[in-house]
Amino acid sequence: MHRRQKPSAPEHKRDLAAHGGALSISHNDTRSFFNFSQLVLSAGHLKPPPVLKHSKITYFEVEILDMQSKKQICIVDKVPPSSTLLDVKHKFHKACPQWYPSRVGLQLERNGPYLKDSINIQSLAVSSIITLYFTDLGQQVSWTTFFLTEYTGPLLIYLLFYVRLSTIYDQVESMKNFRHPAVHLACFCHCLHYIRRLLETLFVHKFSGGHTPLKNMIKGCAFYWGFTSWIAYYINHPQYTPPSFGYRQVFFAALSFLMCEAGNHFINVALAHQIYSGLKACFPSPTYNPFTWLFLLVSCPNYTYEVGSWISFTVMTQTLPAGIFAFLMVIQMSLWAQKKHKMYLKRFYPEVRRKAAMIPIVF
């Protein structure tokens, strides 16, 4: 009697695959597809492959050409993407020691603007090689040096005329004549003006340009120093004629001068505070200080106060050189105010469109 042997596990699986393969495969495929779809839906977004920590660093090559001849001056290689244009200028100075970074002007195009030192080199790159055009800007000085030199001269020059040196005036005539109070007050106001400017240069203003050509400082010094000598010579002259309306004219003009000086200072402080606090995105607004309320009428009240100071000084001293200087200052300040006003219109049009540049209605 033969007993039926139970098939082993591998043989049993082969039998199932042979007899019921079609039904089993169909059922398993459906179930597998359903499970796979559920897995994909629950997985979320596909993650990008992890970045290798030891990836190769990309360097740029900066080719510097002469703007006039288009000849290659040098190639600054191995410039990291995080470098600024100032870093490129320092490397360029190492290759060409005769050109200091402050006198190097770099342009992306031959007739384009000079690039700022703070610009990132990667923002200029189209490929691994960047071509820049070089211009020698000449001898440069810092803006702080520029203004300190320009304002220290008038302060010292006026005092030399005020003490009536024997090399300038006749010493006998200087000792005899009595000095009108307007002479002493004019010296005080003139010195106050330039002392304020010197202190603001050191502690208030923040200069963004960095440097300016030396020839600009020479022209500025020639203008301020020359006019100061001319003005001081007439006001401190032993034969100086007092103002026509006497002490009343001197008093009100001096009061107007001091108010304009105070207004100029507070406007400069408000503008500097806006820069330090990072509020460049909005137009300067008046504060509780009444001197800043001029922002409601004009976009450049610091120029308004500057012009007011010199007109008041002219009325107080009643001299022709001071009047000519005040007239030239009105022209210069109005040009600067118009230029700045156009810049404000581009950035803050709704707030500035109804304001004048320097003097309401006139400019």
Side-chain angles (χ1 to χ4, degrees), residues 8 55 68 78 90 100 122 128 130 155 169 180-181 223 231 257 299 314:
S8 62
S55 60
Q68 300 295 334
K78 294 185 178 181
H90 282 290
Y100 293 92
Q122 191 173 14
S128 60
I130 304 173
L155 180 63
Y169 304 111
H180 193 273
F223 177 78
I231 293 171
F257 179 90
S299 59
T314 301

Side-chain angles (χ1 to χ4, degrees), residues 8 20 104 111-112 147 149 174 179 237 259 264 320 344:
S8 62
V104 174
N111 297 324
F147 288 115
T149 306
S174 299
R179 292 198 189 190
H237 198 279
M259 291 180 64
N264 201 339
L320 180 62
Y344 282 150

Side-chain angles (χ1 to χ4, degrees), residues 183-243:
V183 176
H184 303 292
L185 195 56
C187 181
F188 170 78
C189 292
H190 191 276
C191 293
L192 177 67
H193 175 80
Y194 285 102
I195 289 174
R196 176 187 63 81
R197 283 194 165 190
L198 289 172
L199 293 177
E200 288 177 353
T201 300
L202 294 173
F203 304 109
V204 177
H205 294 302
K206 184 178 182 181
F207 305 106
S208 58
H211 296 82
T212 186
L214 177 63
K215 61 181 180 180
N216 289 346
M217 188 180 75
I218 296 176
K219 290 190 294 185
C221 290
F223 177 78
Y224 281 98
W225 294 17
F227 263 102
T228 299
S229 302
W230 192 21
I231 293 171
Y233 176 81
Y234 277 93
I235 295 177
N236 296 285
H237 198 279
Q239 297 181 0
Y240 168 72
T241 303

